[in-house]
Amino acid sequence: MRGKKDFMLILAGAAAAGVFVFFLSVCLGHEGFGIPEDAILRLRMTRALCGAAAGAALAAAGVAYQTVLANPLADPYLLGSSSGAVFGIAALSFFGISRAGVLFPVTAGICSCLTVAAVLKIAGRSFSKKNIILSGVAVNFFLSAAVIFLISFRKKEFFSLIYFMMGDLGETRMSLISASVIIAAAGSLFLFYKSRFLNALAAGKTLSRQLGCDWKKESLIALIAASVVTGAAVSVSGTIGFIGLMAPHIARKFTGSDARFLLPVSASTGAILLMLSDLAAKNLLFPQEIPVGVVTAMLGAPFFLWIYRK
Amino acid sequence: MRILIFLSAFVIASGCSRHKAPEGLRVVSLSPGITEIIYAIGAQDALYGITSHCTWPPEALREKESVGDFSFPSMEKIAGIRPSLILAAGDGQGKAISHLTNAGYNVRVFHPADISELFRHIIEIGRLTGKEKKASELVADMKKDIRSIPKVKNKSVFIEVCPQPLIAASDKTFLSSVCEIIGLKNIAVFKDSYPGVNAEWLIRQKPDFILLTGSSEEEFRALHPYIKNAKLLRPSDIDIIVRPGPRITRGMREIYYLAEDAEKKQ
């Protein structure tokens, strides 16, 4: 058993690693290592901020989904939560609303909540692991098709949205970034505040009731918070898969399943994973770019199979 | 005198027969640029189908049947027209072209790399539609027009196709060759025609101008606030600069004047 002091050390280590990777993302470029000129510095800082925020948010959402659904395979991407958010954003684009401000993360959050509700409804009452993932995949397919249908009407944004669906951290509109970061941070902090309940939920339906936790209400709150956080992350980064799956599993190796520690360490791990993936996406074929979602999927899909076989 | 009348009648008659469209010619144009060429050389009577993007001249969309999208035209509509000749642009139409060729249609692809190739294509379209004389007149006019356009001196340009993700028109494109003629050197030297590029790279390259074809100035500034030094050029009508057709000379003139104005503002 690890003591509280050990946990604090792990937490500090994760935070320090996060800061280090942020620094790396800003200073490491195609030309080598060093502080770049002002315009590039700003660009890289914005990009690293988007990566860190989206990665941390997706990881926090992943912890909540995995805990509440007692499903190690749950993740915002596989649950259809991210696709729901993208659908909301595509719908706004369909009506010609430009991507800025609070409206986008909020709409994405609402659509993400509705999608998760639909997936769980389709999966049935038992919440069996395979059922949830299968209905998530089916809803994902449906929503992706719906998004492509919607944007077919708006040829001008077609390519941008297709790229967005593959994950892209090139967002620079500060009003959108700040709104999304605030919502994601607030949601993640709320989940952290609720981590005692998350621990109770992890103990299962019956035991959590004995621990004095209203299982239904707390599960619902945690799922809503996770979906809102996902919506905020998606509205800056597009669909980025598997971060919410990988980060909690990696973090669990260090912290165990106590949500009070698992959540912040996962968030930090998610941020690190996404910033590193983006570093690769940006520099592998410089000056051409690979969508960052492609990099995370290349890492995440084998990881998913590994967890599935365990 | 009689001989003279006879001779002139012969000349007129032979001229008429030379300028008449080949019998039974039914053309489908899958490119807005080609549609413009066909109208400019007066061969529109042989034109039976166009795409929904063929917006110039304005009467084209009214008079001719649309076969749908540029990249994904309706095979059924094309079959319904029973074309004897299909003229395509090539870029972004690979699938449609291979379907049409496999179905046994006579498909000709006109994908000019530069202005001299465009001239050859205009002459060839003139030959195919029996309008050689009008086609060579058009080419002569365009050449004269281009000679009268002033040149910018030693300036570099980045040609934007899509603002996010940032996509460039590389030196392998027609638009790039057109810019080169008026003295704007394209900084995007790539193997692909339309590569996606990193914003950092663009900041480092420091082009004098950014020619916007996929976004307005406001949109571009909002999406790329860190690209400050380059002057943005946004033509009033994108079609006249991106379509390899008879209006390209107007497009070139406009790019030149935009560049000159931007220089003066500095």
Side-chain angles (χ1 to χ4, degrees), chain A residues 136-171:
Chain A
V137 168
V139 169
N140 249 331
F141 277 133
F142 177 78
L143 286 173
S144 302
V147 167
I148 292 178
F149 177 74
L150 272 186
I151 57 179
S152 299
F153 292 98
R154 293 189 73 84
K155 284 270 179 288
K156 200 172 159 248
E157 277 135 53
F158 190 85
F159 198 71
S160 294
L161 267 162
I162 293 285
Y163 200 78
F164 185 72
M165 283 167 80
M166 296 192 284
D168 170 31
L169 290 171
E171 187 56 65

PDB file of all heavy atoms in Angstrom, chain A residues 136-171:
ATOM      1  N   GLY A 136     -21.763   2.016 -28.857  1.00  0.00           N
ATOM      2  CA  GLY A 136     -20.959   3.226 -29.062  1.00  0.00           C
ATOM      3  C   GLY A 136     -20.428   3.280 -30.489  1.00  0.00           C
ATOM      4  O   GLY A 136     -20.501   4.311 -31.158  1.00  0.00           O
ATOM      5  N   VAL A 137     -19.915   2.159 -30.962  1.00  0.00           N
ATOM      6  CA  VAL A 137     -19.349   2.107 -32.318  1.00  0.00           C
ATOM      7  C   VAL A 137     -20.449   2.365 -33.354  1.00  0.00           C
ATOM      8  O   VAL A 137     -20.258   3.132 -34.300  1.00  0.00           O
ATOM      9  CB  VAL A 137     -18.657   0.737 -32.560  1.00  0.00           C
ATOM     10  CG1 VAL A 137     -18.332   0.541 -34.032  1.00  0.00           C
ATOM     11  CG2 VAL A 137     -17.401   0.629 -31.719  1.00  0.00           C
ATOM     12  N   ALA A 138     -21.625   1.740 -33.129  1.00  0.00           N
ATOM     13  CA  ALA A 138     -22.731   1.925 -34.082  1.00  0.00           C
ATOM     14  C   ALA A 138     -23.167   3.387 -34.125  1.00  0.00           C
ATOM     15  O   ALA A 138     -23.334   3.969 -35.208  1.00  0.00           O
ATOM     16  CB  ALA A 138     -23.902   1.033 -33.699  1.00  0.00           C
ATOM     17  N   VAL A 139     -23.296   3.997 -32.940  1.00  0.00           N
ATOM     18  CA  VAL A 139     -23.714   5.406 -32.894  1.00  0.00           C
ATOM     19  C   VAL A 139     -22.643   6.297 -33.539  1.00  0.00           C
ATOM     20  O   VAL A 139     -22.946   7.245 -34.258  1.00  0.00           O
ATOM     21  CB  VAL A 139     -24.028   5.829 -31.436  1.00  0.00           C
ATOM     22  CG1 VAL A 139     -24.198   7.329 -31.324  1.00  0.00           C
ATOM     23  CG2 VAL A 139     -25.284   5.129 -30.953  1.00  0.00           C
ATOM     24  N   ASN A 140     -21.370   5.938 -33.300  1.00  0.00           N
ATOM     25  CA  ASN A 140     -20.258   6.644 -33.929  1.00  0.00           C
ATOM     26  C   ASN A 140     -20.393   6.663 -35.445  1.00  0.00           C
ATOM     27  O   ASN A 140     -20.266   7.700 -36.084  1.00  0.00           O
ATOM     28  CB  ASN A 140     -18.955   5.904 -33.620  1.00  0.00           C
ATOM     29  CG  ASN A 140     -18.069   6.694 -32.699  1.00  0.00           C
ATOM     30  OD1 ASN A 140     -18.111   7.922 -32.704  1.00  0.00           O
ATOM     31  ND2 ASN A 140     -17.280   6.018 -31.903  1.00  0.00           N
ATOM     32  N   PHE A 141     -20.646   5.486 -36.013  1.00  0.00           N
ATOM     33  CA  PHE A 141     -20.793   5.372 -37.465  1.00  0.00           C
ATOM     34  C   PHE A 141     -21.945   6.249 -37.949  1.00  0.00           C
ATOM     35  O   PHE A 141     -21.830   6.983 -38.917  1.00  0.00           O
ATOM     36  CB  PHE A 141     -21.065   3.924 -37.882  1.00  0.00           C
ATOM     37  CG  PHE A 141     -19.812   3.109 -38.005  1.00  0.00           C
ATOM     38  CD1 PHE A 141     -19.724   1.849 -37.443  1.00  0.00           C
ATOM     39  CD2 PHE A 141     -18.720   3.592 -38.699  1.00  0.00           C
ATOM     40  CE1 PHE A 141     -18.567   1.093 -37.554  1.00  0.00           C
ATOM     41  CE2 PHE A 141     -17.557   2.852 -38.817  1.00  0.00           C
ATOM     42  CZ  PHE A 141     -17.481   1.590 -38.239  1.00  0.00           C
ATOM     43  N   PHE A 142     -23.055   6.144 -37.221  1.00  0.00           N
ATOM     44  CA  PHE A 142     -24.240   6.890 -37.623  1.00  0.00           C
ATOM     45  C   PHE A 142     -23.959   8.391 -37.607  1.00  0.00           C
ATOM     46  O   PHE A 142     -24.267   9.110 -38.565  1.00  0.00           O
ATOM     47  CB  PHE A 142     -25.414   6.555 -36.695  1.00  0.00           C
ATOM     48  CG  PHE A 142     -26.639   7.344 -37.001  1.00  0.00           C
ATOM     49  CD1 PHE A 142     -27.452   6.991 -38.073  1.00  0.00           C
ATOM     50  CD2 PHE A 142     -26.980   8.465 -36.254  1.00  0.00           C
ATOM     51  CE1 PHE A 142     -28.568   7.740 -38.385  1.00  0.00           C
ATOM     52  CE2 PHE A 142     -28.090   9.216 -36.562  1.00  0.00           C
ATOM     53  CZ  PHE A 142     -28.898   8.854 -37.625  1.00  0.00           C
ATOM     54  N   LEU A 143     -23.340   8.855 -36.494  1.00  0.00           N
ATOM     55  CA  LEU A 143     -23.107  10.297 -36.362  1.00  0.00           C
ATOM     56  C   LEU A 143     -22.075  10.790 -37.382  1.00  0.00           C
ATOM     57  O   LEU A 143     -22.222  11.885 -37.933  1.00  0.00           O
ATOM     58  CB  LEU A 143     -22.651  10.637 -34.946  1.00  0.00           C
ATOM     59  CG  LEU A 143     -23.768  10.580 -33.908  1.00  0.00           C
ATOM     60  CD1 LEU A 143     -23.197  10.770 -32.513  1.00  0.00           C
ATOM     61  CD2 LEU A 143     -24.817  11.654 -34.172  1.00  0.00           C
ATOM     62  N   SER A 144     -21.043   9.972 -37.647  1.00  0.00           N
ATOM     63  CA  SER A 144     -20.051  10.393 -38.646  1.00  0.00           C
ATOM     64  C   SER A 144     -20.729  10.565 -40.005  1.00  0.00           C
ATOM     65  O   SER A 144     -20.456  11.525 -40.724  1.00  0.00           O
ATOM     66  CB  SER A 144     -18.928   9.368 -38.776  1.00  0.00           C
ATOM     67  OG  SER A 144     -18.323   9.191 -37.535  1.00  0.00           O
ATOM     68  N   ALA A 145     -21.617   9.611 -40.326  1.00  0.00           N
ATOM     69  CA  ALA A 145     -22.333   9.717 -41.607  1.00  0.00           C
ATOM     70  C   ALA A 145     -23.211  10.963 -41.603  1.00  0.00           C
ATOM     71  O   ALA A 145     -23.271  11.696 -42.594  1.00  0.00           O
ATOM     72  CB  ALA A 145     -23.181   8.470 -41.827  1.00  0.00           C
ATOM     73  N   ALA A 146     -23.865  11.227 -40.455  1.00  0.00           N
ATOM     74  CA  ALA A 146     -24.744  12.398 -40.367  1.00  0.00           C
ATOM     75  C   ALA A 146     -23.942  13.683 -40.541  1.00  0.00           C
ATOM     76  O   ALA A 146     -24.393  14.626 -41.194  1.00  0.00           O
ATOM     77  CB  ALA A 146     -25.477  12.396 -39.033  1.00  0.00           C
ATOM     78  N   VAL A 147     -22.739  13.709 -39.958  1.00  0.00           N
ATOM     79  CA  VAL A 147     -21.890  14.908 -40.077  1.00  0.00           C
ATOM     80  C   VAL A 147     -21.514  15.123 -41.544  1.00  0.00           C
ATOM     81  O   VAL A 147     -21.621  16.229 -42.077  1.00  0.00           O
ATOM     82  CB  VAL A 147     -20.615  14.766 -39.206  1.00  0.00           C
ATOM     83  CG1 VAL A 147     -19.601  15.841 -39.567  1.00  0.00           C
ATOM     84  CG2 VAL A 147     -20.968  14.860 -37.738  1.00  0.00           C
ATOM     85  N   ILE A 148     -21.111  14.038 -42.222  1.00  0.00           N
ATOM     86  CA  ILE A 148     -20.714  14.181 -43.628  1.00  0.00           C
ATOM     87  C   ILE A 148     -21.914  14.627 -44.470  1.00  0.00           C
ATOM     88  O   ILE A 148     -21.794  15.460 -45.362  1.00  0.00           O
ATOM     89  CB  ILE A 148     -20.090  12.868 -44.149  1.00  0.00           C
ATOM     90  CG1 ILE A 148     -18.757  12.682 -43.432  1.00  0.00           C
ATOM     91  CG2 ILE A 148     -19.880  12.913 -45.666  1.00  0.00           C
ATOM     92  CD1 ILE A 148     -18.013  11.452 -43.762  1.00  0.00           C
ATOM     93  N   PHE A 149     -23.097  14.105 -44.131  1.00  0.00           N
ATOM     94  CA  PHE A 149     -24.311  14.525 -44.833  1.00  0.00           C
ATOM     95  C   PHE A 149     -24.540  16.030 -44.644  1.00  0.00           C
ATOM     96  O   PHE A 149     -24.788  16.761 -45.607  1.00  0.00           O
ATOM     97  CB  PHE A 149     -25.505  13.729 -44.297  1.00  0.00           C
ATOM     98  CG  PHE A 149     -26.810  14.134 -44.906  1.00  0.00           C
ATOM     99  CD1 PHE A 149     -27.120  13.768 -46.216  1.00  0.00           C
ATOM    100  CD2 PHE A 149     -27.733  14.887 -44.196  1.00  0.00           C
ATOM    101  CE1 PHE A 149     -28.316  14.153 -46.789  1.00  0.00           C
ATOM    102  CE2 PHE A 149     -28.929  15.275 -44.762  1.00  0.00           C
ATOM    103  CZ  PHE A 149     -29.223  14.904 -46.065  1.00  0.00           C
ATOM    104  N   LEU A 150     -24.427  16.480 -43.386  1.00  0.00           N
ATOM    105  CA  LEU A 150     -24.652  17.906 -43.093  1.00  0.00           C
ATOM    106  C   LEU A 150     -23.675  18.796 -43.841  1.00  0.00           C
ATOM    107  O   LEU A 150     -24.067  19.792 -44.450  1.00  0.00           O
ATOM    108  CB  LEU A 150     -24.476  18.162 -41.592  1.00  0.00           C
ATOM    109  CG  LEU A 150     -25.680  17.989 -40.678  1.00  0.00           C
ATOM    110  CD1 LEU A 150     -25.312  18.432 -39.267  1.00  0.00           C
ATOM    111  CD2 LEU A 150     -26.851  18.830 -41.175  1.00  0.00           C
ATOM    112  N   ILE A 151     -22.390  18.422 -43.798  1.00  0.00           N
ATOM    113  CA  ILE A 151     -21.404  19.333 -44.389  1.00  0.00           C
ATOM    114  C   ILE A 151     -21.351  19.226 -45.908  1.00  0.00           C
ATOM    115  O   ILE A 151     -20.724  20.053 -46.556  1.00  0.00           O
ATOM    116  CB  ILE A 151     -19.992  19.179 -43.772  1.00  0.00           C
ATOM    117  CG1 ILE A 151     -19.502  17.747 -43.902  1.00  0.00           C
ATOM    118  CG2 ILE A 151     -19.962  19.622 -42.339  1.00  0.00           C
ATOM    119  CD1 ILE A 151     -18.120  17.542 -43.326  1.00  0.00           C
ATOM    120  N   SER A 152     -22.023  18.212 -46.470  1.00  0.00           N
ATOM    121  CA  SER A 152     -22.083  18.142 -47.932  1.00  0.00           C
ATOM    122  C   SER A 152     -22.802  19.361 -48.495  1.00  0.00           C
ATOM    123  O   SER A 152     -22.602  19.738 -49.647  1.00  0.00           O
ATOM    124  CB  SER A 152     -22.832  16.897 -48.390  1.00  0.00           C
ATOM    125  OG  SER A 152     -22.164  15.772 -47.931  1.00  0.00           O
ATOM    126  N   PHE A 153     -23.645  19.975 -47.660  1.00  0.00           N
ATOM    127  CA  PHE A 153     -24.378  21.159 -48.113  1.00  0.00           C
ATOM    128  C   PHE A 153     -23.511  22.410 -48.080  1.00  0.00           C
ATOM    129  O   PHE A 153     -23.849  23.413 -48.660  1.00  0.00           O
ATOM    130  CB  PHE A 153     -25.615  21.392 -47.238  1.00  0.00           C
ATOM    131  CG  PHE A 153     -26.652  20.322 -47.411  1.00  0.00           C
ATOM    132  CD1 PHE A 153     -26.726  19.274 -46.516  1.00  0.00           C
ATOM    133  CD2 PHE A 153     -27.524  20.356 -48.484  1.00  0.00           C
ATOM    134  CE1 PHE A 153     -27.669  18.280 -46.672  1.00  0.00           C
ATOM    135  CE2 PHE A 153     -28.464  19.356 -48.651  1.00  0.00           C
ATOM    136  CZ  PHE A 153     -28.538  18.321 -47.744  1.00  0.00           C
ATOM    137  N   ARG A 154     -22.427  22.330 -47.327  1.00  0.00           N
ATOM    138  CA  ARG A 154     -21.565  23.510 -47.222  1.00  0.00           C
ATOM    139  C   ARG A 154     -20.179  23.159 -47.727  1.00  0.00           C
ATOM    140  O   ARG A 154     -19.276  22.846 -46.963  1.00  0.00           O
ATOM    141  CB  ARG A 154     -21.516  23.998 -45.778  1.00  0.00           C
ATOM    142  CG  ARG A 154     -22.844  24.540 -45.313  1.00  0.00           C
ATOM    143  CD  ARG A 154     -22.697  25.205 -43.986  1.00  0.00           C
ATOM    144  NE  ARG A 154     -22.010  26.472 -44.108  1.00  0.00           N
ATOM    145  CZ  ARG A 154     -22.613  27.601 -44.437  1.00  0.00           C
ATOM    146  NH1 ARG A 154     -23.893  27.612 -44.672  1.00  0.00           N
ATOM    147  NH2 ARG A 154     -21.937  28.715 -44.524  1.00  0.00           N
ATOM    148  N   LYS A 155     -20.062  23.216 -49.038  1.00  0.00           N
ATOM    149  CA  LYS A 155     -18.840  22.773 -49.703  1.00  0.00           C
ATOM    150  C   LYS A 155     -17.592  23.497 -49.192  1.00  0.00           C
ATOM    151  O   LYS A 155     -16.528  22.914 -49.084  1.00  0.00           O
ATOM    152  CB  LYS A 155     -18.967  23.024 -51.211  1.00  0.00           C
ATOM    153  CG  LYS A 155     -19.857  22.033 -51.892  1.00  0.00           C
ATOM    154  CD  LYS A 155     -19.035  20.848 -52.347  1.00  0.00           C
ATOM    155  CE  LYS A 155     -19.837  19.785 -53.034  1.00  0.00           C
ATOM    156  NZ  LYS A 155     -20.691  18.956 -52.401  1.00  0.00           N
ATOM    157  N   LYS A 156     -17.782  24.752 -48.832  1.00  0.00           N
ATOM    158  CA  LYS A 156     -16.619  25.558 -48.468  1.00  0.00           C
ATOM    159  C   LYS A 156     -15.944  25.005 -47.214  1.00  0.00           C
ATOM    160  O   LYS A 156     -14.736  24.999 -47.086  1.00  0.00           O
ATOM    161  CB  LYS A 156     -17.063  27.009 -48.253  1.00  0.00           C
ATOM    162  CG  LYS A 156     -15.943  27.977 -48.344  1.00  0.00           C
ATOM    163  CD  LYS A 156     -16.405  29.411 -48.321  1.00  0.00           C
ATOM    164  CE  LYS A 156     -15.268  30.299 -47.908  1.00  0.00           C
ATOM    165  NZ  LYS A 156     -15.456  30.917 -46.623  1.00  0.00           N
ATOM    166  N   GLU A 157     -16.783  24.525 -46.276  1.00  0.00           N
ATOM    167  CA  GLU A 157     -16.207  24.046 -45.019  1.00  0.00           C
ATOM    168  C   GLU A 157     -15.980  22.541 -45.020  1.00  0.00           C
ATOM    169  O   GLU A 157     -15.536  21.987 -44.026  1.00  0.00           O
ATOM    170  CB  GLU A 157     -17.137  24.415 -43.862  1.00  0.00           C
ATOM    171  CG  GLU A 157     -16.944  25.817 -43.377  1.00  0.00           C
ATOM    172  CD  GLU A 157     -18.254  26.531 -43.169  1.00  0.00           C
ATOM    173  OE1 GLU A 157     -19.103  25.988 -42.468  1.00  0.00           O
ATOM    174  OE2 GLU A 157     -18.432  27.621 -43.732  1.00  0.00           O
ATOM    175  N   PHE A 158     -16.304  21.895 -46.134  1.00  0.00           N
ATOM    176  CA  PHE A 158     -16.239  20.433 -46.198  1.00  0.00           C
ATOM    177  C   PHE A 158     -14.880  19.915 -45.735  1.00  0.00           C
ATOM    178  O   PHE A 158     -14.778  19.119 -44.803  1.00  0.00           O
ATOM    179  CB  PHE A 158     -16.514  19.980 -47.637  1.00  0.00           C
ATOM    180  CG  PHE A 158     -16.720  18.501 -47.776  1.00  0.00           C
ATOM    181  CD1 PHE A 158     -17.972  17.945 -47.563  1.00  0.00           C
ATOM    182  CD2 PHE A 158     -15.677  17.668 -48.109  1.00  0.00           C
ATOM    183  CE1 PHE A 158     -18.170  16.587 -47.689  1.00  0.00           C
ATOM    184  CE2 PHE A 158     -15.862  16.304 -48.232  1.00  0.00           C
ATOM    185  CZ  PHE A 158     -17.116  15.760 -48.025  1.00  0.00           C
ATOM    186  N   PHE A 159     -13.829  20.431 -46.355  1.00  0.00           N
ATOM    187  CA  PHE A 159     -12.503  19.895 -46.080  1.00  0.00           C
ATOM    188  C   PHE A 159     -12.069  20.198 -44.650  1.00  0.00           C
ATOM    189  O   PHE A 159     -11.504  19.346 -43.969  1.00  0.00           O
ATOM    190  CB  PHE A 159     -11.500  20.443 -47.085  1.00  0.00           C
ATOM    191  CG  PHE A 159     -10.261  19.626 -47.120  1.00  0.00           C
ATOM    192  CD1 PHE A 159     -10.286  18.365 -47.676  1.00  0.00           C
ATOM    193  CD2 PHE A 159      -9.097  20.086 -46.542  1.00  0.00           C
ATOM    194  CE1 PHE A 159      -9.152  17.571 -47.669  1.00  0.00           C
ATOM    195  CE2 PHE A 159      -7.954  19.305 -46.542  1.00  0.00           C
ATOM    196  CZ  PHE A 159      -7.983  18.050 -47.108  1.00  0.00           C
ATOM    197  N   SER A 160     -12.353  21.423 -44.189  1.00  0.00           N
ATOM    198  CA  SER A 160     -11.970  21.796 -42.828  1.00  0.00           C
ATOM    199  C   SER A 160     -12.615  20.856 -41.813  1.00  0.00           C
ATOM    200  O   SER A 160     -11.975  20.420 -40.862  1.00  0.00           O
ATOM    201  CB  SER A 160     -12.414  23.215 -42.520  1.00  0.00           C
ATOM    202  OG  SER A 160     -11.724  24.101 -43.324  1.00  0.00           O
ATOM    203  N   LEU A 161     -13.903  20.543 -42.039  1.00  0.00           N
ATOM    204  CA  LEU A 161     -14.600  19.705 -41.068  1.00  0.00           C
ATOM    205  C   LEU A 161     -14.145  18.246 -41.139  1.00  0.00           C
ATOM    206  O   LEU A 161     -14.075  17.571 -40.119  1.00  0.00           O
ATOM    207  CB  LEU A 161     -16.112  19.811 -41.259  1.00  0.00           C
ATOM    208  CG  LEU A 161     -16.727  20.895 -40.371  1.00  0.00           C
ATOM    209  CD1 LEU A 161     -18.092  21.286 -40.869  1.00  0.00           C
ATOM    210  CD2 LEU A 161     -16.811  20.471 -38.925  1.00  0.00           C
ATOM    211  N   ILE A 162     -13.830  17.777 -42.333  1.00  0.00           N
ATOM    212  CA  ILE A 162     -13.307  16.408 -42.452  1.00  0.00           C
ATOM    213  C   ILE A 162     -11.993  16.306 -41.664  1.00  0.00           C
ATOM    214  O   ILE A 162     -11.746  15.364 -40.929  1.00  0.00           O
ATOM    215  CB  ILE A 162     -13.057  16.040 -43.946  1.00  0.00           C
ATOM    216  CG1 ILE A 162     -14.379  15.965 -44.706  1.00  0.00           C
ATOM    217  CG2 ILE A 162     -12.276  14.740 -44.085  1.00  0.00           C
ATOM    218  CD1 ILE A 162     -15.211  14.745 -44.439  1.00  0.00           C
ATOM    219  N   TYR A 163     -11.170  17.337 -41.816  1.00  0.00           N
ATOM    220  CA  TYR A 163      -9.890  17.367 -41.111  1.00  0.00           C
ATOM    221  C   TYR A 163     -10.121  17.449 -39.601  1.00  0.00           C
ATOM    222  O   TYR A 163      -9.451  16.797 -38.813  1.00  0.00           O
ATOM    223  CB  TYR A 163      -9.094  18.578 -41.596  1.00  0.00           C
ATOM    224  CG  TYR A 163      -7.612  18.494 -41.333  1.00  0.00           C
ATOM    225  CD1 TYR A 163      -6.790  17.718 -42.132  1.00  0.00           C
ATOM    226  CD2 TYR A 163      -7.038  19.194 -40.283  1.00  0.00           C
ATOM    227  CE1 TYR A 163      -5.425  17.648 -41.901  1.00  0.00           C
ATOM    228  CE2 TYR A 163      -5.684  19.127 -40.042  1.00  0.00           C
ATOM    229  CZ  TYR A 163      -4.877  18.349 -40.856  1.00  0.00           C
ATOM    230  OH  TYR A 163      -3.536  18.286 -40.617  1.00  0.00           O
ATOM    231  N   PHE A 164     -11.111  18.256 -39.234  1.00  0.00           N
ATOM    232  CA  PHE A 164     -11.481  18.419 -37.827  1.00  0.00           C
ATOM    233  C   PHE A 164     -11.902  17.067 -37.233  1.00  0.00           C
ATOM    234  O   PHE A 164     -11.612  16.756 -36.082  1.00  0.00           O
ATOM    235  CB  PHE A 164     -12.639  19.429 -37.757  1.00  0.00           C
ATOM    236  CG  PHE A 164     -13.059  19.808 -36.370  1.00  0.00           C
ATOM    237  CD1 PHE A 164     -12.257  20.614 -35.584  1.00  0.00           C
ATOM    238  CD2 PHE A 164     -14.269  19.368 -35.857  1.00  0.00           C
ATOM    239  CE1 PHE A 164     -12.648  20.974 -34.309  1.00  0.00           C
ATOM    240  CE2 PHE A 164     -14.676  19.732 -34.589  1.00  0.00           C
ATOM    241  CZ  PHE A 164     -13.854  20.538 -33.806  1.00  0.00           C
ATOM    242  N   MET A 165     -12.582  16.256 -38.039  1.00  0.00           N
ATOM    243  CA  MET A 165     -13.028  14.943 -37.566  1.00  0.00           C
ATOM    244  C   MET A 165     -11.857  13.998 -37.325  1.00  0.00           C
ATOM    245  O   MET A 165     -12.013  12.965 -36.689  1.00  0.00           O
ATOM    246  CB  MET A 165     -13.992  14.309 -38.578  1.00  0.00           C
ATOM    247  CG  MET A 165     -15.392  14.896 -38.519  1.00  0.00           C
ATOM    248  SD  MET A 165     -16.356  14.390 -39.944  1.00  0.00           S
ATOM    249  CE  MET A 165     -16.845  12.748 -39.449  1.00  0.00           C
ATOM    250  N   MET A 166     -10.700  14.346 -37.879  1.00  0.00           N
ATOM    251  CA  MET A 166      -9.537  13.490 -37.666  1.00  0.00           C
ATOM    252  C   MET A 166      -8.629  14.046 -36.559  1.00  0.00           C
ATOM    253  O   MET A 166      -7.572  13.477 -36.281  1.00  0.00           O
ATOM    254  CB  MET A 166      -8.736  13.359 -38.966  1.00  0.00           C
ATOM    255  CG  MET A 166      -9.512  12.669 -40.065  1.00  0.00           C
ATOM    256  SD  MET A 166      -8.473  12.219 -41.438  1.00  0.00           S
ATOM    257  CE  MET A 166      -8.233  13.781 -42.232  1.00  0.00           C
ATOM    258  N   GLY A 167      -9.038  15.146 -35.963  1.00  0.00           N
ATOM    259  CA  GLY A 167      -8.257  15.712 -34.867  1.00  0.00           C
ATOM    260  C   GLY A 167      -7.238  16.718 -35.366  1.00  0.00           C
ATOM    261  O   GLY A 167      -6.406  16.407 -36.204  1.00  0.00           O
ATOM    262  N   ASP A 168      -7.334  17.947 -34.866  1.00  0.00           N
ATOM    263  CA  ASP A 168      -6.444  19.005 -35.334  1.00  0.00           C
ATOM    264  C   ASP A 168      -6.270  20.015 -34.205  1.00  0.00           C
ATOM    265  O   ASP A 168      -7.248  20.529 -33.671  1.00  0.00           O
ATOM    266  CB  ASP A 168      -7.089  19.658 -36.569  1.00  0.00           C
ATOM    267  CG  ASP A 168      -6.372  20.917 -36.994  1.00  0.00           C
ATOM    268  OD1 ASP A 168      -5.147  20.971 -36.775  1.00  0.00           O
ATOM    269  OD2 ASP A 168      -7.015  21.824 -37.536  1.00  0.00           O
ATOM    270  N   LEU A 169      -5.014  20.288 -33.848  1.00  0.00           N
ATOM    271  CA  LEU A 169      -4.776  21.221 -32.729  1.00  0.00           C
ATOM    272  C   LEU A 169      -4.343  22.593 -33.227  1.00  0.00           C
ATOM    273  O   LEU A 169      -3.778  23.376 -32.483  1.00  0.00           O
ATOM    274  CB  LEU A 169      -3.718  20.644 -31.790  1.00  0.00           C
ATOM    275  CG  LEU A 169      -4.180  19.427 -30.973  1.00  0.00           C
ATOM    276  CD1 LEU A 169      -3.005  18.797 -30.251  1.00  0.00           C
ATOM    277  CD2 LEU A 169      -5.244  19.826 -29.971  1.00  0.00           C
ATOM    278  N   GLY A 170      -4.631  22.889 -34.480  1.00  0.00           N
ATOM    279  CA  GLY A 170      -4.187  24.166 -35.043  1.00  0.00           C
ATOM    280  C   GLY A 170      -5.090  25.349 -34.707  1.00  0.00           C
ATOM    281  O   GLY A 170      -4.956  26.411 -35.299  1.00  0.00           O
ATOM    282  N   GLU A 171      -6.001  25.177 -33.761  1.00  0.00           N
ATOM    283  CA  GLU A 171      -6.944  26.253 -33.436  1.00  0.00           C
ATOM    284  C   GLU A 171      -6.204  27.460 -32.861  1.00  0.00           C
ATOM    285  O   GLU A 171      -5.330  27.307 -32.019  1.00  0.00           O
ATOM    286  CB  GLU A 171      -7.957  25.725 -32.414  1.00  0.00           C
ATOM    287  CG  GLU A 171      -9.089  26.662 -32.112  1.00  0.00           C
ATOM    288  CD  GLU A 171      -9.860  27.070 -33.350  1.00  0.00           C
ATOM    289  OE1 GLU A 171     -10.477  26.208 -33.970  1.00  0.00           O
ATOM    290  OE2 GLU A 171      -9.820  28.259 -33.696  1.00  0.00           O
TER     291      GLU A 171
END
